[in-house]
């Protein structure tokens, strides 16, 4: 059991018992190993189901805008990226800060489940972790692997592991990573020619089945009707046409400009293992370079696309 | 916006942004001339062009 699990359960019980919040959004163990399901604990008994592990890769802030009926506060367990998306929700007036009771969780990174699954020919039957060591078992073999080597790629370059906003913490804050070149992957694509770039993204999206799991897992995607579901006007074709697939991915990325926290929920949810962060990463790099902006760090700051400054970069205007 | 289009492989010279007031007819003409020159040099666009067959 992860050392955070017991602490989370006790904190959640305390929060629910004392009425600090009406519910606590967290994770429970899924039906198969390495699956963690989002879970809402509404009473102390529920809180026994809460868990924590390096497989809790989805972003819980995604579930906040959907909660309509709640008289009291909503409790939520938030790792660094979740907390930044909570800040984004507050900044975008999706939810009041006063409505939330945030249990901050200093994160040490989530693991890349698809990469671990590649180590095995058969199904994984057991997953546990001891500190930095992951113990993964199948019917035929057991692997002890170093968690650092199997981190998700967004966790490898994460510089905000600690929650940026919280009412209480699960543990002491962890040391933040110092990343020499945060956008090495984006720079690699930038160095390509137009044709190479086009082919790169052709290859990237060729397996897309238009399931929209990336959109559904994303806390930024909360429009009541998404542009892909609209039929009048129909902004983008619904079939498997490669241009329609790409248009969906481009437009989804644009909607995340200046808002994406690089939480990796989109890639975590993708059943076809498409690295959709390749689209949003470019926008994150531009936000940082052009506007010195990283999303969701401060509830008092307005995002760059919602403010005008006389010195905003405008060299693209002819 | 232009940056991401360029990033995914649309030629930079194909997409232009300008700010022209309705009173700036000559500027409009100048900008359109410049754009058509640049796009003509690139040739016809083959990307994001849906085939209906």
């Amino acid at each position: 059991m992860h050392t955070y699990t017991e602490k989370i359960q006790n904190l959640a019980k305390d929060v629910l018992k004392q009425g600090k919040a009406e519910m606590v959004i967290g994770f429970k163990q899924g039906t198969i190993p390495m699956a963690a399901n989002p879970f809402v604990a509404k009473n102390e008994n529920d809180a026994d189901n809460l868990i924590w592990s390096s497989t809790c890769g989805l972003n819980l802030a995604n579930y906040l805008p959907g909660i309509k009926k709640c008289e009291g506060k909503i409790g939520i367990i938030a790792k660094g990226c979740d907390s930044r998306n909570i800040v984004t929700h507050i900044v975008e007036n999706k939810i009041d800060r006063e409505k939330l009771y945030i249990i901050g969780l200093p994160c040490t990174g989530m693991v890349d489940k698809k990469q671990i699954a590649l180590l095995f020919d058969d199904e994984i039957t057991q997953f546990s972790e001891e500190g930095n060591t992951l113990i993964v078992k199948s019917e035929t073999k057991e692997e002890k692997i170093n968690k650092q080597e199997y981190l998700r790629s967004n966790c490898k370059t994460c510089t905000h592991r600690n929650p940026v906003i919280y009412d209480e913490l699960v543990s002491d804050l962890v040391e933040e990573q110092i990343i020499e070149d945060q956008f090495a992957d984006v720079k690699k694509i930038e160095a390509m020619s137009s044709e190479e770039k086009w082919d790169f993204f052709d290859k990237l999206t060729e397996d897309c089945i238009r399931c929209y799991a990336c959109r559904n897992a994303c806390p930024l995607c909360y429009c009541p009707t998404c542009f892909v579901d609209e039929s009048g006007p129909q902004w983008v074709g619904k079939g498997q046409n490669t241009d329609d697939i790409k248009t969906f991915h481009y437009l989804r990325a644009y909607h995340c400009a200046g808002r994406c926290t690089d939480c990796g929920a989109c890639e975590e949810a993708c059943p076809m293992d498409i690295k959709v962060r390749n689209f949003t990463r470019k926008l994150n790099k531009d936000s940082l370079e052009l506007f010195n902006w990283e999303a969701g760090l401060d509830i008092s700051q307005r995002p760059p696309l919602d403010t005008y400054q006389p010195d905003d970069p405008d060299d693209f205007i002819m | 916006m232009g940056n991401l289009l360029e990033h995914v492989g649309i030629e930079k010279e194909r997409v232009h942004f300008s700010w022209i007031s309705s009173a700036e007819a000559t500027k409009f003409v100048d900008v359109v001339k410049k754009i058509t020159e640049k796009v003509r040099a690139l040739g016809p666009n083959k990307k994001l062009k849906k085939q209906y067959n």
Side-chain angles (χ1 to χ4, degrees):
Chain A
M1 200 200 287
H2 196 284
T3 48
Y4 282 172
T5 297
E6 207 183 324
K7 288 179 189 163
I8 287 175
Q9 289 177 355
N10 291 338
L11 276 177
K13 277 180 198 167
D14 186 56
V15 164
L16 291 165
K17 197 162 134 193
Q18 296 191 27
K20 289 181 192 166
E22 227 173 84
M23 56 179 84
V24 175
I25 310 176
F27 285 98
K28 70 170 182 179
Q29 181 57 48
T31 48
I32 51 170
M34 289 213 292
N37 291 1
F39 174 68
V40 180
K42 292 189 173 166
N43 56 49
E44 285 175 65
N45 288 342
D46 284 351
D48 282 328
N49 293 324
L50 290 168
I51 59 141
W52 191 260
S53 76
S54 299
T55 62
C56 299
L58 288 176
N59 192 326
L60 293 176
N62 192 23
Y63 302 96
L64 287 177
I67 296 174
K68 298 277 184 276
K69 279 186 196 159
C70 184
E71 301 278 310
K73 289 190 178 196
I74 303 167
I76 180 162
I77 292 158
K79 51 187 183 293
C81 43
D82 300 29
S83 77
R84 290 175 63 197
N85 279 103
I86 293 171
V87 168
T88 305
H89 279 326
I90 297 169
V91 166
E92 294 176 357
N93 298 322
K94 284 308 287 180
I95 198 152
D96 286 335
R97 172 68 182 94
E98 290 70 44
K99 194 91 181 122
L100 297 171
Y101 191 85
I102 304 166
I103 302 172
L105 188 141
C107 175
T108 52
M110 293 291 133
V111 294
D112 188 333
K113 297 168 194 170
K114 287 153 191 155
Q115 213 186 329
I116 293 176
L118 286 178
L119 294 172
F120 295 86
D121 295 326
D122 49 351
E123 227 171 276
I124 292 166
T125 53
Q126 237 181 41
F127 174 88
S128 58
E129 50 191 311
E130 278 166 26
N132 231 341
T133 312
L134 309 174
I135 303 145
V136 195
K137 284 182 201 166
S138 77
E139 291 290 329
T140 51
K141 68 170 176 175
E142 176 181 330
E143 291 271 2
K144 278 192 181 173
I145 54 179
N146 181 355
K147 175 174 158 180
Q148 297 309 317
E149 289 168 23
Y150 285 87
L151 284 182
R152 300 191 305 188
S153 62
N154 64 310
C155 298
K156 277 183 190 158
T157 55
C158 173
T159 53
H160 298 284
R161 292 180 145 185
N162 291 309
V164 294
I165 188 172
Y166 52 83
D167 293 298
E168 63 183 314
L169 280 173
V170 172
S171 78
D172 293 336
L173 295 176
V174 293
E175 204 179 321
E176 292 288 2
Q177 299 187 108
I178 296 161
I179 309 294
E180 211 170 281
D181 190 358
Q182 227 189 329
F183 292 105
D185 52 335
V186 186
K187 286 178 188 161
K188 224 159 97 187
I189 302 171
E190 281 173 342
M192 296 178 188
S193 71
S194 284
E195 292 308 315
E196 285 169 336
K197 285 175 184 170
W198 187 258
D199 292 343
F200 174 86
F201 285 100
D202 250 350
K203 190 110 194 73
L204 186 81
T205 51
E206 69 181 358
D207 290 333
C208 179
I209 55 171
R210 299 287 292 273
C211 69
Y212 305 137
C214 47
R215 173 199 69 179
N216 290 2
C218 179
L220 303 174
C221 287
Y222 54 63
C223 291
T225 308
C226 176
F227 73 96
V228 294
D229 297 324
E230 287 220 324
S231 51
Q234 189 179 317
W235 305 107
V236 56
K238 292 170 190 293
Q240 285 300 103
N241 176 288
T242 49
D243 290 323
D244 286 334
I245 291 177
K246 280 180 145 186
T247 306
F248 159 62
H249 285 287
Y250 299 156
L251 289 180
R252 200 188 83 77
Y254 278 124
H255 289 182
C256 303
R259 305 167 66 219
C260 176
T261 59
D262 207 19
C263 71
C266 45
E267 285 186 2
E268 177 93 17
C270 181
M272 304 306 287
D273 202 15
I274 298 170
K275 304 294 179 198
V276 287
R277 281 172 51 253
N278 276 306
F279 294 102
T280 46
R281 293 276 292 158
K282 167 65 179 166
L283 293 163
N284 289 0
K285 178 170 178 277
D286 282 356
S287 297
L288 188 65
E289 286 174 358
L290 301 172
F291 300 100
N292 195 21
W293 172 260
E294 285 181 282
L297 294 184
D298 185 348
I299 54 170
S300 66
Q301 298 274 320
R302 297 305 304 173
L305 287 184
D306 143 331
T307 45
Y308 169 73
Q309 298 295 335
D311 59 348
D312 277 346
D314 60 358
D315 52 357
F316 62 94
I317 293 177
M318 63 186 286
Chain B
M1 161 140 192
N3 288 3
L4 183 65
L5 281 180
E6 191 193 339
H7 193 66
V8 298
I10 306 286
E11 298 90 342
K12 198 181 176 191
E13 295 75 21
R14 220 180 265 289
V15 187
H16 297 270
F17 298 83
S18 188
W19 181 259
I20 309 170
S21 149
S22 57
E24 294 177 308
T26 46
K27 186 180 174 190
F28 180 75
V29 173
D30 287 347
V31 169
V32 171
K33 272 185 185 162
K34 262 191 225 163
I35 292 175
T36 39
E37 264 170 40
K38 285 184 177 168
V39 175
R40 190 164 288 138
L42 284 173
N45 175 42
K46 293 192 186 71
K47 293 162 186 167
L48 275 185
K49 217 173 142 190
K50 210 168 160 181
Q51 302 293 330
Y52 291 94
N53 48 25

